[in-house]
Each structure stands twice: as structure tokens, then as C-alpha cells.
Amino acid sequence: MDLNFTQEELAFRDEVRSWIRENLPEDIATKVRHDAPLSKDDMLKWQLILHDKGWLTYSWPAEFGGTGWGPVKQFIFEEEMAYACAPRILPFGLRMLGPVLMKFGSKEQQDYYLPRMCDGTHWWCQGYSEPGAGSDLASLKTAAVRDGDHYIVNGQKTWTTLGQHADMIFCLVRTSTEGKPQEGISFLLIDMKTPGIEVRPIQTIDGGREVNEVWFTDVKVPVENLVGEENRGWTYAKYLLTHERTNIAGVGKSNQELDRLKELAASQKRGGKPLSEDPYFAARMAKVEIDLMNMEITNLRVLAQAEAGGAPGPESSMLKILGTEIEQELTDLTRRALGSSARALTPEANETGYNGPHVAPEGFNNASAVYFNHRKTTIYGGSNEIQKNIITKMIVGL
Amino acid sequence: MDFTHTETRRMLADTIDRYLRDKYPLAARVEAGNAEPGYQPAHYEGMAELGVIAALFPEDQGGFGGEGFDIAVVFEELGKRLVNEPVMDSALIPGPILAAAGQSDAVENIIAGAARYALAAEEPQALYDLDHVETTAEGAGDSFTLTGTKTVVKYAGGCDGFIVSARTDKGIALFLVAPGDVALRSYTTVEGGRASEITLDGAPGTLLGEDGAGAAMLQDAADRAILALSAEALGIMQTIREMTIEYLRTRKQFGVPIGKFQALQHRTAEMLLEIEQARSAVINASNAMGLSGAERARIMAATKYSIGRIGRLVAEESIQMHGGIGMTWEYDLGHYAKRLIMIDHEWGDQDFHLARFVELGKAA
Ligand SMILES: Cc1cc2nc3c(=O)[nH]c(=O)nc-3n(C[C@H](O)[C@H](O)[C@H](O)COP(=O)(O)OP(=O)(O)OC[C@H]3O[C@@H](n4cnc5c(N)ncnc54)[C@H](O)[C@@H]3O)c2cc1C
């Protein structure tokens, strides 16, 4: 056994690290570090910097203009990005739709959409969930009815992340009510500017505006926007869900949050003594650090398997559960470490030019909101209960 | 043994419940909580008229209650409807301090809902330790001047006076300071409501009670606050319980109500039994208000610890079992969950009280 990266992998890591250091705009990194919301421009700016370098499509095969990196290099890249507080690359186009088009899309669709999701022309969002179809996604009702050269779409999607910025949405729609629900679903690409589409914001408990309802009333979609075959959409969606989910644990991000928490705990004082020396708090921090250490190895084990050609099965569900629970625990400890000051709702205090009261230490003015916002991580992307169902089904087989 | 409330207390609970059901919709509470002054003065006065504040004070101070169980009954009802009025901060905490210092006019006005006072005790870098006082009071007799800073002073804006803890050569003492002599910077709190950072720069203060007796007076105030917060949390948890059970019964996925999934059933059962544990903790604390010394202190610490731990469980589990809808501002649950979590950030969190419980156990 050898737990270490190879010399080549280490050299690659150093290259990535120094490139990020030189190219990641400081103001953007600070926003990420302080959990301040990023604007659309911030996100696009970073995307284009990566695109120029050729690293935006780091997970794509070379034939589609990707780097052709294997799972280990992709992992190293992602961890370095997260640890340096680079904005997360939005997954909807590059990680979700991209691979589906490469495998099931037509040549025309590949040639048209793939470059545009890289150069900032198309901001994609994901239209799967509906009010009545969450965990039970196959029960979705948004209907697409064929009418000559078009589909006429009616229905409602919900929880659409950053749909307010989107130019395009990829949707699962119902094209048949015969047979099993999974067999009547199609995968459709829809221009958000089409008449009949309405985006309504949903405010989250932390006050944030990251999700939306998207309503469709007699929306005309050209038939060439169908991906693959009609009524085969479920297969494509499932492919997308199982595709290379080796980074789902978010090790880099959690390591960065842990470092920040340790710094905070060292500077917070009770009775003149740092909170990091309080045995109760120190034990809580130690436990999450240990979980994270173990998870890192678990993640590397999955990676080694993927590098050798194995497809992650129940392991990606395991990593999703572990990763989100650790992430949530870190947000919980961060708010706790702040004591009474976690009660102040002064997110603007993390921004330059703010001249109101500073209640919490710099960079921690949004910690309670972040804690509440992170409740989402065990709900979305297949809730943790659903992941547990998957694990037992695949392993126990009942 | 008898675990039922007296007839009078049951009637009080009914009266509060009826008032709130008719007149206190959550939407207005949320809106008010996110603007100045952070609460709804008309309701604060309305509740005072109903006797909500008088129930928290003994007869010799002008009230009709003042025992632990009175406090618990009132705050449990307020919690059930997520009431965001400064009954605890402006009345229950400062009132008895002023009463003990002979300020009977002030107490009368507090009970009538006509005056509000704010306790300014915690300092930055104290992390809940009220004995950590760097604010100084210089002088003697009737004239002291205070200098220092205090953090997260709830509903400081518009109050009729501050009770400030400060260090003198005899130890910690409490002083009454006029609002005009204090500099405030206000902000909204996470669950809705207002708080301020306050600065005193040679502010004149009137000694309340004995010089050097401040720490004991603060401990007394802390016990009242712990009981009120714990009872409020219990009320909140009951509402969350009802909402969650209702949701498990009505939300369908895979063709069945999600409450049919055993994974959720067991978690619900866990939540329900923990809420019963929380109720027992609140009863224990209510009773302990009639005790004194380390016995009472240990029970109060145990209660606040329990509420912090169970509150987190209930807030997190209920959101999780609701799925996406539990994450939205528009749905009531999130507002209850936020207050429940923030209760662990007031008057010492679960770790603080667990440590205290251990220390008090060593001393016993
Ligand atoms: C912040 C956020 C962003 C999102 N972004 C997007 C997006 O961009 N695009 C998109 O399409 N969707 C998105 N989603 C939707 C997300 O995928 C759904 O919320 C998720 O699938 C859960 O569905 P639901 O909310 O309807 O909960 P439900 O499915 O109703 O679940 C409620 C509870 O029941 C549990 N449960 C359900 N079925 C079972 C079972 N069989 N066994 C045990 N427990 C079960 C769940 O785990 C949960 O605890 C987002 C959600 C959130 C919160």
C-alpha cells in the first residue's frame, strides 16, 4: 500500500496551486472565504479565467476539448481550488449537461452547446424537481406535447438553483403517461427567453436568493432541442447522476473551513483563555477533524478504484453522506464559536465600505446564515435518506 | 405528586393562547422582526394589559405570580406562536433587579407595559461569562461614572434605562444608566428582533443594590432567563412537532405519505421522546426557582444544556424531514427553527452549561 500521490501528481498539484495563487482575483477569493454572495459577474469572470487556461473543462475528455485528466488529477485540481477559496465551478452545464450531450446528444447539439457553456454565452440551470416530484423524481408532471416541429411545454419546475441568471434550462418533461413513470420522460433543452416562461424567486430561510420556481405556459420548444430519443430521458438523467461523483465529499472545502474554525477558536476568548483550549469545544473540533481525516482516505480509496477503471457505485452515496454531514458540523461549530455575536444579522459587515457595527470577528458576520443555508446539503442532490436507501439496496440487495 | 398546573395558570395559558391565535399572525411578526424597533409595541402593550407581564412578578412587587411555574407557563405559550416581543429582555430580566433596588415606580411601569429596561451585561470576548467585566465604574455613594463596551444588548433602542454591570473596587456592581448617556449601534438579529453594541464613556450611573453584589444579582437574572428561554424553546418545539407530524401525514412521495417510511418514523419517535425530556427539564427548572444555592444552579445548568442539545436536534431534523420546503422563508418552520437555534446563543450555550454542571458537581 502507498497512501501517497506519485511524484508526477505532486508536481501537478504544485503547478495548480501556484497558478491559482497568481490568477485567482483576491476580491473574489475573499468573498468566498467570508461566505459573501458572489455576483453573476464574479462567477463568470473566474469561469473565463479558467477557460483561457484550458482548465474549465478539466473533467472533460480531450476529444471534446477537455484536459483528459484522470480521476486523481481532477480530484487534486478540485481540492486545490476549494482550498484556495476559488468560486465553485457551477456544475449544471459543465458537469451535468456536458457529459450527457457528449454521450447522448447529436453532433449538432455537441457543436453548438458545448463551446457556449464554456465561453459564458449560456448559463445553464437544472429543471428536474417539481413541487410534487422531489425524491420521487419520476413522478414529474411538466408535460411536453408534440405539435409539428415543436413541443408545447406546460407545468412547473422548482428549486431551480440560480435560475434567475440562466440563459438555458435542461428539463425532464413528461412525453408519455403510458407504462412505468420512468418510461415517459424526455430530456429537453429550453431557452429561458422563450415566451411563456416565468421565473419566480424563492427566498431561503437565511434570507438568500439562490433558488427559483420556473413556470411554463404553452412554451414552444423546437424538436431539435430534444436530447437523444423521446421517452428515454430517465436513462440520461441517471447517467448524469452516477457520472464521476468522486469529488462529492468536498474534502478541500471542509479542510479550508476547518482551518478557519481553528483560527477563530484560537482568537475567541472566555475568561482570557482561548476557546480552542476549552476541553468541550476542543473535543468537538477534534471529532470533526478525525472524521474528515478518515473521509479523506475513504475518498482516496474510491479514487484509486476509479483511476483503475472501476465505476463508483454505493461509494459516491457514502461520500455524499459523509461530506455533507462534516460540512454541516463545521458550520455548526463556527456559529457556536461566535457565542452571542452569532446572533447579529450583519452580512454587509463582510463587505468593504461598510460602516455599521462589527459584532462578530471579521469574515464571520454571516456564520449563522451559513449554518442555516447548509441544511440544504443533506436535502438536495438526492437527500441523505435516499442515499442510504441506495447504499442498502446496492449492498444488502433487498 | 401532581404534574398539572393550577387552575389560575391554566386560565392564563388559555388567555394568552386565545389572544395570540386571534391577533398575532406569523407574517406580521417576521416583518416586524426585520425592521425597527424589532417588535410590535401595540402587541407588547396588549399583552401587558392581559397580565402577561404581571404574571411574572410576585404580589409584593405589583404582580400576581412570579414563581417558576408562572414564568414557564407564560413563555411556553409565547414560544408556541413564536412571539417576538421583549417580555423577557425588557421586563422579566430587569424588573426584579429594579425591585430589589427599591425602584418600585419603574417596576410598576414595567408591569403596565409602559416602560422597558435593558440589561447590558455581556462584553465582547466574554463568551457568555457574565463575571468577565472590563467595564469600570469609578466613584462612590451616589455618583459613579461608567466606561466600557457591552455586546448584543437586546432591544436597547428606545428603552427607558440600562442596567449595566461594571467593576468597582468591591467587585462587580449593577448601575442604572440613562439612555441618553449611552452610545448605541443597532442591528437586526438572525431570528428577527433588534440588538445593539453599546459604549459608555464616563456615563453617570446610579448604583442598584449593594456595591459588589452584582455577580449574585446577575446569576439570579440568568436563572430567570434560562427558565424563560427553556420554556419558550419547549413551546417552539411543540409547534414544530405538530407541523412535522402533519407534514409526514400529508406529503406524498412514491405514492405514499412520507411518514410511511420507517427511516423517518424512527427519527420522528426520537424527536418526540427528546421533546418529552425537554418538558421534564423545564418542569425541573421551574421547581428549582424555589430552591437556592448550588442545588438550583445545577438544575438550571442541566436544563439549559438539555434545551440546547434537544433544540438543535429538533430544528435540524424537522427541516430535514420537510425536504426543500423546510428551507424556505415563506414556510413557517424555518422561522421557528431559527429562533430555537438562537436560544442556544443566549445566556450560555449547551457546552457552557455542561461545563458549569460539571464544575458545580465537583463543588457539591
Ligand atoms: C437549496 C436547494 C437547491 C436545489 N437546487 C435544485 C436544482 O437546481 N434543480 C433541481 O431540479 N432541484 C433542485 N433542488 C431540489 C432537490 O433535489 C429536492 O429538494 C430533493 O430532491 C428533495 O425533494 P423534496 O424537497 O421534494 O423533499 P421530499 O422528497 O418531499 O422529501 C421529504 C423528506 O422525506 C424523505 N424521503 C423521501 N422519500 C424517502 C424514502 N423513500 N425513504 C426515506 N425517506 C424519504 C426525504 O429524505 C426528506 O427528508 C434543490 C433543493 C434545495 C433545497
Side-chain angles (χ1 to χ4, degrees):
Chain A
M1 240 186 248
D2 182 1
L3 300 191
N4 298 307
F5 288 126
T6 63
Q7 281 306 320
E8 195 218 327
E9 286 160 353
L10 288 175
F12 171 73
R13 187 189 66 190
D14 292 343
E15 182 195 348
V16 169
R17 192 174 288 179
S18 59
W19 182 84
I20 295 174
R21 197 180 311 122
E22 280 155 29
N23 291 279
L24 174 62
E26 185 49 42
D27 59 324
I28 294 181
T30 303
K31 281 191 191 175
V32 173
R33 190 174 301 113
H34 293 175
D35 300 304
L38 293 172
S39 67
K40 181 177 183 176
D41 285 349
D42 290 332
M43 289 188 253
L44 280 178
K45 186 173 173 187
W46 178 234
Q47 178 169 332
L48 290 178
I49 294 173
L50 281 169
H51 186 44
D52 282 347
K53 173 73 180 167
W55 284 356
L56 182 65
T57 48
Y58 70 96
S59 62
W60 289 10
E63 56 179 305
F64 289 101
T67 57
W69 293 341
V72 171
K73 277 192 169 175
Q74 290 184 36
F75 176 83
I76 291 173
F77 177 72
E78 285 161 348
E79 297 311 300
E80 289 301 318
M81 292 264 286
Y83 197 73
C85 294
R88 135 187 122 103
I89 299 174
L90 286 182
F92 307 113
L94 291 151
R95 296 305 299 264
M96 294 180 171
L97 180 62
V100 167
L101 289 180
M102 290 174 213
K103 188 147 171 101
F104 305 105
S106 66
K107 178 83 174 59
E108 291 73 33
Q109 287 171 338
Q110 292 169 353
D111 289 346
Y112 183 74
Y113 291 113
L114 294 179
R116 284 172 177 74
M117 67 179 67
C118 297
D119 67 13
T121 311
H122 287 163
W123 181 300
W124 283 93
C125 65
Q126 179 195 23
Y128 280 15
S129 306
E130 297 181 7
S135 298
D136 181 14
L137 187 57
S139 69
L140 61 91
K141 290 205 173 69
T142 297
V145 177
R146 181 78 184 255
D147 178 20
D149 292 343
H150 288 86
Y151 285 102
I152 308 296
V153 179
N154 279 287
Q156 187 206 338
K157 294 293 174 183
T158 192
W159 311 123
T160 320
T161 298
L162 300 180
Q164 70 266 38
H165 300 325
D167 305 295
M168 296 291 297
I169 181 168
F170 57 94
C171 286
L172 290 181
V173 292
R174 183 152 302 287
T175 37
S176 167
T177 48
E178 275 160 39
K180 290 206 312 188
Q182 287 85 347
E183 289 162 7
I185 292 171
S186 298
F187 199 110
L188 212 51
L189 312 177
I190 306 179
D191 186 333
M192 292 292 280
K193 286 183 292 294
T194 321
I197 296 183
E198 195 194 334
V199 178
R200 298 183 195 161
I202 301 174
Q203 194 175 10
T204 45
I205 45 177
D206 53 310
R209 302 258 173 177
E210 63 185 67
V211 282
N212 302 271
E213 297 177 344
V214 183
W215 295 72
F216 300 85
T217 315
D218 294 330
V219 174
K220 278 179 80 173
V221 183
V223 284
E224 58 264 29
N225 285 21
L226 177 74
V227 175
E229 290 170 44
E230 204 173 86
N231 296 331
R232 300 274 297 152
W234 187 255
T235 314
Y236 312 151
K238 265 181 64 177
Y239 169 75
L240 188 159
L241 286 177
T242 50
H243 186 76
E244 290 176 15
R245 304 235 285 180
T246 44
N247 177 48
I248 197 157
V251 174
K253 173 95 167 35
S254 287
N255 272 323
Q256 188 264 330
E257 294 293 344
L258 177 66
D259 283 0
R260 239 164 74 84
L261 172 63
K262 285 182 176 173
E263 268 172 45
L264 176 66
S267 67
Q268 289 287 93
K269 295 201 172 71
R270 177 183 298 137
K273 252 177 73 175
L275 183 62
S276 49
E277 287 171 26
D278 173 286
Y280 297 85
F281 197 79
R284 285 187 190 276
M285 286 203 299
K287 283 187 208 163
V288 69
E289 181 167 3
I290 292 166
D291 285 341
L292 182 51
M293 276 166 65
N294 292 338
M295 181 179 71
E296 195 163 349
I297 301 287
T298 307
N299 203 347
L300 293 173
R301 284 168 53 206
V302 174
L303 218 56
Q305 201 185 323
E307 188 87 359
E315 291 85 359
S316 56
S317 292
M318 290 181 187
L319 291 175
K320 199 262 172 173
I321 294 170
L322 290 167
T324 52
E325 285 180 353
I326 287 172
E327 209 179 329
Q328 287 185 340
E329 182 67 11
L330 286 164
T331 65
D332 178 74
L333 293 183
T334 303
R335 110 178 127 68
R336 268 172 212 269
L338 291 167
S340 296
S341 70
R343 302 189 59 208
L345 187 66
T346 52
E348 329 78 54
N350 284 339
E351 285 162 27
T352 41
Y354 170 82
N355 57 9
H358 288 272
V359 190
E362 201 203 333
F364 291 97
N365 288 287
N366 211 15
S368 293
V370 170
Y371 160 80
F372 286 109
N373 182 276
H374 273 68
R375 309 314 313 160
K376 71 188 177 191
T377 63
T378 46
I379 295 171
Y380 67 26
S383 74
N384 284 21
E385 289 73 35
I386 295 298
Q387 303 298 342
K388 286 179 187 171
N389 289 349
I390 293 173
I391 294 172
T392 42
K393 205 166 174 181
M394 290 178 94
I395 294 176
V396 186
L398 290 174
Chain B
M1 235 174 261
D2 179 6
F3 282 102
T4 51
H5 281 306
T6 61
E7 177 69 20
T8 323
R9 289 188 184 123
R10 283 205 304 266
M11 277 168 55
L12 176 66
D14 281 348
T15 311
I16 300 174
D17 180 55
R18 214 170 315 120
Y19 176 92
L20 295 175
R21 198 172 344 128
D22 295 346
K23 302 195 173 134
Y24 203 84
L26 187 71
R29 174 258 183 236
V30 170
E31 198 181 318
N34 287 286
E36 289 277 12
Y39 70 105
Q40 301 171 76
H43 279 309
Y44 186 75
E45 284 153 31
M47 283 187 236
E49 258 167 54
L50 279 189
V52 168
I53 300 176
L56 309 174
F57 290 82
E59 275 174 34
D60 59 5
Q61 290 172 15
F64 60 80
E67 288 181 21
F69 287 105
D70 298 305
I71 296 173
V73 163
V74 167
F75 282 91
E76 186 179 333
E77 290 306 319
L78 300 185
K80 280 183 193 163
R81 304 257 171 204
L82 202 62
V83 169
N84 198 29
E85 306 302 316
V87 178
M88 180 183 91
D89 296 291
S90 300
L92 176 68
I93 291 170
I97 297 174
L98 293 165
Q103 305 255 357
S104 51
D105 286 354
V107 178
E108 202 176 298
N109 288 332
I110 287 175
I111 292 175
R116 297 192 303 106
Y117 289 79
L119 176 68
E122 187 169 350
E123 303 196 349
Q125 297 291 324
L127 275 178
Y128 307 125
D129 179 5
L130 297 180
D131 293 341
H132 179 91
V133 178
E134 290 178 27
T135 299
T136 56
E138 287 177 6
D142 284 343
S143 97
F144 283 87
T145 55
L146 281 71
T147 300
T149 56
K150 299 286 178 178
T151 191
V152 198
V153 181
K154 285 300 300 282
Y155 299 103
C159 79
D160 295 273
F162 288 93
I163 297 170
V164 182
S165 60
R167 206 161 272 288
T168 67
D169 46 18
K170 295 204 174 60
I172 296 169
L174 301 185
F175 298 87
L176 186 61
V177 177
D181 294 325
V182 168
L184 346 167
R185 309 197 75 192
S186 303
Y187 46 87
T188 301
T189 52
V190 168
E191 74 275 44
R194 300 291 291 181
S196 301
E197 301 300 284
I198 81 169
T199 315
L200 303 119
D201 187 7
T206 313
L207 182 65
L208 293 170
E210 263 174 60
D211 192 357
M217 291 160 86
L218 282 177
Q219 195 48 57
D220 224 46
D223 289 351
R224 289 195 295 280
I226 287 171
L227 176 56
L229 288 171
S230 300
E232 183 192 346
L234 177 63
I236 290 174
M237 289 194 264
Q238 287 175 75
T239 301
I240 290 182
R241 177 183 66 192
E242 250 105 82
M243 281 165 126
T244 307
I245 291 174
E246 179 62 22
Y247 198 74
L248 289 167
R249 283 196 183 122
T250 49
R251 169 69 173 172
K252 284 194 178 156
Q253 287 290 275
F254 304 99
V256 294
I258 56 173
K260 286 270 186 204
F261 300 125
Q262 202 165 53
L264 303 191
Q265 287 172 351
H266 283 194
R267 288 161 68 168
T268 308
E270 186 84 23
M271 196 166 109
L272 301 191
L273 72 85
E274 289 288 7
I275 294 175
E276 290 312 311
Q277 290 283 82
R279 172 171 297 284
S280 297
V282 169
I283 292 172
N284 204 10
S286 307
N287 188 58
M289 291 301 274
L291 309 173
S292 59
E295 196 183 0
R296 163 166 152 178
R298 218 160 167 254
I299 293 172
M300 301 320 285
T303 299
K304 191 65 169 54
Y305 160 76
S306 304
I307 291 295
R309 181 182 66 74
I310 298 169
R312 179 187 175 198
L313 176 95
V314 170
E316 294 183 353
E317 288 287 82
S318 60
I319 292 177
Q320 181 66 25
M321 291 199 280
H322 273 80
I325 197 83
M327 286 294 301
T328 63
W329 185 274
E330 205 176 308
Y331 191 70
D332 293 354
L333 174 66
H335 299 286
Y336 280 85
K338 279 194 279 186
R339 175 63 188 146
L340 190 51
I341 292 290
M342 285 300 116
I343 284 177
D344 199 37
H345 287 262
E346 284 193 69
W347 295 89
D349 68 4
Q350 49 172 302
D351 287 353
F352 179 85
H353 286 287
L354 186 60
R356 209 172 128 70
F357 184 82
V358 171
E359 283 310 308
L360 288 159
K362 281 185 202 157

